[in-house]
Amino acid sequence: MTAPVLPADSPEAIARAAALLREGGLVAMPTETVYGLAADAGNAAAVARLYAAKGRPRFNPLIAHVSGIAMAKRLVEWPALADALASAFWPGPLTLVLPKLADAPVCDLANAGLDSVAIRAPGHAAAQALLTAFGGPLVAPSANPSGGVSPTTAAHVSDGLGEMLDLILDGGPCTVGVESTVIALLDGRATLLRPGGLERDRIEAITGPLAIAGHSDAPASPGMLASHYAPGAAMRLNATVAQAGELLLGFGPIAGDLNLSPTGDLAEAAARLFAALREMDAAGPKLIAVAPIPDEGLGEAINDRLQRAAAPREMP
Ligand code: AMP
Ligand code: MG
């Protein structure tokens, strides 16, 4: 049976979701980045169910979502740089990896046994309401089968994981549309682990130049699998025209069969990216070709997702 879908702006739906989470349930929640598959971060049985529902490799640590700085301080050490970044960008699409406190309400399975935890305060009213009602951290990876295209609407969640969940909160389409930027604040250094919905230059205005973790840097950023976000069709990047059997995803003046942003607006393109990949994939092309996206601002996150969607498949 597929999970019920309730409106995320309903207080009754939030109360129901919080009650399900307290019982170890799985609830899909809207965030500004993508839809998250939420579970109680401190409940190992719930987190094990979450990994099983996604078919996710166990070594991928999860992001613990918090309502804000006060809740974050119950989970991790909190250096001045964390305070500066969280004060500037939370709630919002920025995840910070920090040393885990011994008594943090995050089970070892949730952070894959590392001595650090990734935390983020999401900037969506429903996610905030749910975190406040629940009163503790919620792990919430993207609410889709592992390796596939991330969900940016409740219908995407229902299509991919409906049977595995207890409840889906429908908060409308995600406004940012790509996952959070992940920064590690460990050993006194700030390192970019994953480009995302907060532009790197806005972070560097506070941190100074970031160290960059390579994709091969598996222990530092275990979620950075080469193949991820993959649609059913193969992908070809930096294309200007579609060849036989291909559909072209356009950007700016390269119109394509579907255009991420006719005006060349990277924020609009990020918000539409995953829904556009799903829509094109549904037409069953042999290959999805994608127009070049400038590698600046949010283009860094868009190109990261496209490169991994196009990478040779290594499904878990
Ligand atoms: P997502 O699957 O979108 O929730 O992404 C989680 C991201 O955060 C992945 O890239 C993980 O590798 C990264 N991450 C989570 N926890 C940690 C951690 N403790 N150390 C390093 N990276 C982490
Ligand atoms: Mg994901």
Side-chain angles (χ1 to χ4, degrees), residues 5-9 28-30 35 124 126 153-155 168-173:
V5 180
L6 294 176
D9 59 0
M29 70 170 177
Y35 273 72
H124 188 294
T153 67
I168 298 171
L169 295 172
D170 185 351

Side-chain angles (χ1 to χ4, degrees), residues 8-307:
D9 59 0
S10 143
E12 294 76 30
I14 295 295
R16 175 89 192 111
L20 284 166
L21 290 165
R22 264 179 227 115
E23 293 160 13
L26 301 180
V27 173
M29 70 170 177
T31 81
E32 78 281 33
T33 59
V34 304
Y35 273 72
L37 174 48
D40 177 353
N43 181 335
V47 176
R49 249 188 97 202
L50 183 154
Y51 280 110
K54 277 187 66 80
R56 182 172 190 146
R58 293 270 162 129
F59 50 78
N60 269 7
L62 305 173
I63 296 173
H65 291 70
V66 294
S67 50
I69 290 175
M71 195 185 282
K73 287 178 169 173
R74 287 163 43 196
L75 274 53
V76 289
E77 288 174 21
W78 196 250
L81 197 50
D83 211 55
L85 287 168
S87 301
F89 301 120
W90 279 7
L94 174 67
T95 294
L96 301 174
V97 176
L98 289 154
K100 183 180 180 178
L101 295 179
D103 60 351
V106 175
C107 63
D108 285 336
L109 190 56
N111 68 317
L114 300 171
D115 51 16
S116 58
V117 188
I119 50 168
R120 172 172 108 82
H124 188 294
Q128 280 289 328
L130 184 55
L131 284 160
T132 302
F134 182 70
L138 295 171
V139 287
S142 57
N144 59 289
S146 190
V149 180
S150 302
T152 54
T153 67
H156 295 163
V157 176
S158 196
D159 289 350
L161 287 181
E163 315 271 307
M164 323 289 283
L165 309 183
D166 297 303
L167 177 64
I168 298 171
L169 295 172
D170 185 351
C174 300
T175 53
V176 173
V178 291
E179 291 80 357
S180 59
T181 305
V182 182
I183 304 286
L185 297 179
L186 300 171
D187 309 322
R189 279 197 317 163
T191 305
L192 177 66
L193 298 186
R194 175 179 76 183
L198 183 68
E199 297 92 331
R200 194 213 298 197
D201 54 353
R202 296 182 62 194
I203 298 167
E204 289 184 328
I206 292 177
T207 58
L210 291 165
I212 312 287
H215 284 198
S216 60
D217 196 354
S221 190
M224 297 291 274
L225 298 174
S227 170
H228 202 150
Y229 314 105
M235 307 262 303
R236 182 166 71 86
L237 306 185
N238 297 314
T240 47
V241 289
Q243 292 163 5
E246 297 183 1
L247 285 176
L248 177 63
L249 182 57
F251 177 78
I254 299 178
D257 298 285
L258 196 70
N259 196 301
L260 285 174
S261 172
T263 61
D265 176 345
L266 289 168
E268 181 183 32
R272 297 182 63 177
L273 176 67
F274 290 132
L277 287 177
R278 282 168 184 271
E279 193 179 326
M280 297 196 103
D281 208 24
K286 173 178 83 179
L287 196 145
I288 299 172
V290 189
I293 310 289
D295 205 34
E296 63 199 34
L298 287 173
E300 192 177 10
I302 297 171
N303 283 323
D304 171 79
R305 304 303 184 270
L306 286 172
Q307 277 152 18

